[in-house]
Amino acid sequence: MTSESDLSHILAQLSSVPPDSSQTASLLSKAKLTLLHLNALIPGPNTPASLLLLARRTLETGALISIRNQNPDAFTRYYQQLQPFYELPPSSYSASSSKPSEEEAVGQRSKVTGLYLLLLLTKGDYAGFHTLLEGLEVQAMGEGLEGDVFIRYPVMLEQWLMEGQYDRVWGAMKGKGVPSEEFAVFSEVLVVTIRSEIASCSEKAYPSLPIPNAKNLLFLDSEGSVVAFAEERGWVVKDGRIYFPLQQGQDVRTEKEILVASGQVIENTIGYARELETIV
C-alpha cells in the first residue's frame, strides 16, 4: 500500500541525482503517481499537513528540474499545479495548533513565482506579467515586494526593458544579481529575445551600420559574433559595415525616412509602456 514514506523515499532519490539524469523523469512520474494514489495531487480539506508538505515539495522539485532542463512547458504545468497549494492558508501546513515555520508556510513559492514572471517576460506576455504582479501586491497587503529577491529580479528587468535600458538588463543578467541558477537559464532566453527585437528595429531604422556599432547595439562579445549573427539574419557584410535589406516594396531610403524609421527604435524600447495601456 502506498504511503507518505514511499513519497519521501522518492524525493530523497530525486535530490541525489543530477537534473538531467535519465532517472529524473522516471522518478518525477513515480512521485506524481504516488500523489495520485494518496489523493493529494490536488489539496483537499482532509489532506494531512504532512502530506500537503510532501505534495508541494514534489511539485516544486518538478518545476525547478524543468527549468534546469530548459523545459518551459513542463515548468508551466508544474506552476499551475502548485497554485492550489499556494492558495492555502499557512496554518494548513502545520500538524498542530502551533504556527508553522516560514519554510513550511511558503515553501519555494517566491522562487517558483519569480521564475514564472521571468518566463512571461521571455514570451513577451507583459499583460500576464503585470496581472500576476498586481495579484502578488494585493496578497502582500501593503508590505511590498522589494525585499523578495526572487520577485524583485524580474520586476527590475521589466522596468529597465520598459525604459529601454538594455545595458542595465545585460549587466544584471550577467552579474552577481541573478538570484539562482534557475534564473540564469531564463536570462539567457531573454537575451536572445531582446537581441532579436533590437535587430528587427535596426533593420527598419538604418540602411547600414558599422560592425563595431552593431556589436555594441546588439550586445555581442566580438565582431566575429556580429558577422555570424548578420549571416543568420540575411544581412550583407561588406567593407566593415552591415547592410540591412530594404523592406518589401521600399526604395532607397531618404534622409527624412531614416530619421522617421530611427524613431521606431526609440519607440520600441518603450514598447512595454504601450503594452501596459492594454491592461488599464
Side-chain angles (χ1 to χ4, degrees), residues 36-260:
L36 189 62
H37 287 317
L38 293 170
N39 197 28
L41 198 55
I42 298 175
N46 298 319
T47 308
S50 57
L51 185 52
L52 285 175
L53 287 167
L54 286 171
R56 187 184 63 190
R57 181 183 162 197
T58 298
L59 297 175
E60 287 176 337
T61 299
L64 297 179
I65 287 176
S66 298
I67 291 296
R68 292 168 187 161
N69 290 336
Q70 301 184 32
N71 189 339
D73 292 336
F75 169 75
T76 299
R77 289 192 293 272
Y78 278 111
Y79 172 81
Q80 293 168 343
Q81 290 174 318
L82 277 163
Q83 295 318 296
F85 292 89
Y86 289 158
E87 291 168 1
L88 292 173
S91 58
S92 300
Y93 292 98
S94 178
S96 64
S97 58
S98 61
K99 184 178 179 180
S101 67
E102 183 176 352
E103 183 179 357
E104 289 176 337
V106 300
Q108 300 200 67
R109 180 179 183 177
S110 287
K111 178 184 278 191
V112 172
T113 304
L115 285 165
Y116 188 68
L117 284 169
L118 192 54
L119 173 62
L120 293 175
L121 276 187
T122 65
K123 291 183 173 182
D125 186 358
Y126 314 122
F129 180 95
H130 282 274
T131 298
L132 175 55
L133 187 59
E134 287 170 9
L136 293 173
E137 289 171 344
V138 170
Q139 293 171 14
M141 294 183 293
E143 294 182 6
L145 301 169
E146 294 82 5
D148 190 327
V149 63
F150 297 118
I151 302 299
R152 186 174 69 243
Y153 180 73
V155 169
M156 177 181 65
L157 294 183
E158 191 275 340
Q159 289 175 343
W160 289 337
L161 288 169
M162 183 176 66
E163 297 166 359
Q165 298 189 57
Y166 291 138
D167 54 337
R168 299 190 72 176
V169 175
W170 250 259
M173 291 191 294
K174 293 184 177 296
K176 296 181 179 179
V178 181
S180 71
E181 61 178 293
E182 294 89 2
F183 282 81
V185 173
F186 271 153
S187 295
E188 290 302 316
V189 177
L190 188 58
V191 165
V192 174
T193 301
I194 296 172
R195 184 174 289 131
S196 178
E197 180 179 345
I198 294 174
S200 296
C201 295
S202 299
E203 289 174 341
K204 299 174 183 177
Y206 310 109
S208 68
L209 280 175
I211 289 178
N213 292 31
K215 171 177 170 289
N216 294 332
L217 186 65
L218 297 168
F219 294 92
L220 289 167
D221 296 328
S222 66
E223 294 188 4
S225 298
V226 177
V227 173
F229 184 81
E231 291 174 349
E232 291 176 6
R233 301 277 306 191
W235 297 342
V236 176
V237 181
K238 182 180 179 182
D239 300 329
R241 296 185 71 90
I242 289 175
Y243 292 86
F244 303 113
L246 293 173
Q247 303 299 306
Q248 186 174 4
Q250 182 180 14
D251 295 324
V252 177
R253 301 175 178 87
T254 64
E255 183 177 352
K256 180 179 179 180
E257 288 171 336
I258 293 171
L259 289 173
V260 171

